[in-house]
Amino acid sequence: MKLEFAPDQPGFEDKLFFTNEDSNNNTMELVCFKSTVLKLFIEVHNYLDEFILKGKKSTDRWDMYYMTLGYMLTTPENKMILDIHEDCILTLISQSINANEILKKELLFVQTLLTSTRNSLNKSSSMWYLYRKLYILMDQNNIGCEELLLQHWISTFENSAELHVSNYYCWNTLRWFFDVIPSYHVKKTIFGMTKSFCLKHVSDCSSWDTLGYISCQNKDESSYNIDNYHFLIKRYSNDQSNYDRSNSASRDFRRFIIKPQPLVDEITSFIDSLLIKDWTVFICLLRITITHNLHNLNFIQIWRNDIKSFENRHGQVELKNGMPLVPNEEKDNLSVSNGFLHYGLKKVFLSRLGRSTRI
């Protein structure tokens, strides 16, 4: 389901929202009006004030849970509400004979928020961290299957990233999933989705940084995400006092190994075919090349010749603070100015590569 937020519309004054269902594609669009969000905001705040802060009477756990859902939709970074929400989830699944259904519905709600058109939800660090916690809880309840990951979890990252450029917390959470998920097939799918996304979004620095991270994971051997995984496992362990990392030592945190040369060839071909002038693409290529210590780089001499040919026609490419400058007299000439940026970035790339590898 896609959640969209829109200004109030004439003719819909008596409606809180409207839905548009596509039975052919099995999708649904839910449009929530601004006045609806305001009403929900007021209602959940009144509920919290009357039944929790003032302590007028005991509150049903399900009522508290629904109250937190309203809060999360309107003010997702309220830490107290998130703590109450987490407590509700843990209590409800511990008391229920059908914990799986509760977690699946919670997952769908959080995924809907993360793929909504509202920035405060889509880019919420707290919502993305909750996404990690849900994976842990579902895995502990034996519902973190590979098929579910492929169909729902990965599409959430892609759909969220499509809505907002350089969604840092989205891509950072994807890296966490990539590190902790044991399935090599899922890792390969994440890699393919990330690469495809990058090639369609040249300026998205977060996605290109993630592509570099995934491509170099086997060499970098960063343990930060694995450490965070163990922290969350311990947090939700039934016996925290006796928990240690050996409790989950059987989990296979296998590294993802790629053949870097075909990826480098694909990125360099992409750069050349579109005359890329965004440094984020070059820095990803630089990271992969240096980390994997590649030496058979046929494109280097080609790029040197391209730079020399361009400079022979249009003059020396000058740099300022490590980045190329466009001469004032060429700024109105789009093709030439783009050339100064493109070949200038190639010049910067070759310089940095040379300092790192002595090529």
Side-chain angles (χ1 to χ4, degrees):
M1 183 176 72
K2 183 177 181 181
L3 175 62
E4 295 190 24
F5 293 87
D8 294 347
Q9 301 293 321
F12 290 91
E13 289 82 3
D14 59 335
K15 293 184 178 294
L16 296 175
F17 55 85
F18 73 85
T19 60
N20 181 25
E21 188 172 357
D22 185 349
S23 57
N24 293 328
N25 296 316
N26 195 29
T27 60
M28 176 181 287
E29 178 186 33
L30 188 150
V31 179
C32 186
F33 298 121
K34 185 176 181 181
S35 60
T36 304
V37 176
L38 179 59
K39 290 175 183 177
L40 182 60
F41 178 86
I42 294 172
E43 183 173 348
V44 295
H45 276 73
N46 287 340
Y47 184 95
L48 180 67
D49 184 54
E50 293 295 323
F51 294 101
I52 298 180
L53 298 183
K54 292 182 179 178
K56 283 192 173 180
K57 63 178 182 179
S58 61
T59 306
D60 179 81
R61 187 66 63 172
W62 276 108
D63 287 343
M64 290 179 63
Y65 173 74
Y66 291 131
M67 179 271 294
T68 62
L69 295 185
Y71 253 102
M72 289 161 63
L73 191 145
T74 57
T75 49
E77 293 298 330
N78 187 312
K79 304 302 181 184
M80 180 185 71
I81 295 299
L82 290 168
D83 288 341
I84 295 175
H85 179 78
E86 183 176 322
D87 180 66
C88 287
I89 282 289
L90 295 175
T91 301
L92 290 171
I93 63 176
S94 67
Q95 296 176 348
S96 174
I97 59 173
N98 200 358
N100 288 6
E101 287 303 311
I102 295 175
L103 286 171
K104 286 180 180 179
K105 289 179 180 179
E106 170 76 2
L107 175 65
L108 289 175
F109 176 78
V110 174
Q111 287 176 329
T112 300
L113 297 186
L114 293 176
T115 56
S116 72
T117 58
R118 190 176 178 188
N119 276 358
S120 62
L121 297 173
N122 186 283
K123 294 189 172 185
S124 167
S125 60
S126 296
M127 288 297 100
W128 284 110
Y129 200 66
L130 177 59
Y131 206 40
R132 298 188 191 189
K133 295 176 181 178
L134 276 175
Y135 173 75
I136 298 293
L137 291 173
M138 296 184 77
D139 196 41
Q140 288 182 336
N141 284 271
N142 300 315
I143 51 177
C145 65
E146 184 173 294
E147 182 180 356
L148 187 66
L149 289 166
L150 291 171
Q151 289 185 353
H152 297 287
W153 293 81
I154 297 176
S155 64
T156 296
F157 293 114
E158 184 175 16
N159 293 337
S160 181
E162 286 281 0
L163 286 168
H164 299 290
V165 176
S166 297
N167 192 337
Y168 170 80
Y169 291 109
C170 169
W171 289 105
N172 193 45
T173 306
L174 178 69
R175 289 192 277 193
W176 183 89
F177 271 80
F178 182 84
D179 284 348
V180 307
I181 288 173
S183 169
Y184 197 85
H185 178 54
V186 173
K187 290 179 186 286
K188 186 176 180 180
T189 303
I190 290 176
F191 169 72
M193 182 277 287
T194 303
K195 184 179 72 171
S196 176
F197 186 94
C198 288
L199 296 178
K200 291 186 294 184
H201 301 81
V202 177
S203 302
D204 195 301
C205 58
S206 294
S207 64
W208 281 97
D209 185 61
T210 301
L211 179 62
Y213 176 88
I214 290 174
S215 304
C216 300
Q217 183 214 44
N218 187 50
K219 294 288 185 179
D220 289 341
E221 297 184 351
S222 172
S223 64
Y224 177 81
N225 289 329
I226 305 300
D227 291 340
N228 180 255
Y229 168 84
H230 284 293
F231 168 79
L232 292 176
I233 285 289
K234 180 178 180 180
R235 179 171 181 170
Y236 300 120
S237 173
N238 292 328
D239 187 2
Q240 296 185 22
S241 61
N242 292 325
Y243 175 87
D244 58 51
R245 290 173 71 104
S246 63
N247 290 36
S248 56
S250 59
R251 188 178 182 87
D252 184 7
F253 294 108
R254 66 180 65 182
R255 295 288 173 174
F256 182 72
I257 302 173
I258 68 164
K259 294 180 179 180
Q261 191 62 57
L263 179 59
V264 166
D265 292 342
E266 186 173 3
I267 294 176
T268 54
S269 176
F270 174 72
I271 290 173
D272 287 338
S273 62
L274 296 179
L275 289 181
I276 298 298
K277 54 186 185 298
D278 290 88
W279 177 241
T280 185
V281 182
F282 289 91
I283 198 66
C284 176
L285 176 64
L286 187 67
R287 179 178 185 177
I288 297 169
T289 304
I290 293 174
T291 301
H292 288 278
N293 196 25
L294 300 180
H295 296 288
N296 185 25
L297 301 172
N298 297 326
F299 71 89
I300 288 181
Q301 191 55 50
I302 295 175
W303 281 14
R304 285 172 176 163
N305 293 337
D306 289 344
I307 294 169
K308 184 178 180 180
S309 175
F310 179 83
E311 291 185 328
N312 286 339
R313 296 195 310 271
H314 301 287
Q316 185 79 12
V317 177
E318 301 293 341
L319 305 177
K320 182 178 181 180
N321 298 324
M323 289 290 110
L325 291 174
V326 177
N328 290 329
E329 62 273 16
E330 300 290 0
K331 287 184 176 180
D332 292 332
N333 189 328
L334 185 60
S335 61
V336 175
S337 61
N338 285 341
F340 271 96
L341 296 174
H342 173 75
Y343 294 106
L345 289 177
K346 283 185 173 180
K347 198 171 187 178
V348 175
F349 174 90
L350 294 177
S351 175
R352 294 196 182 186
L353 182 64
R355 292 199 299 267
S356 300
T357 62
R358 296 183 180 179
I359 291 178

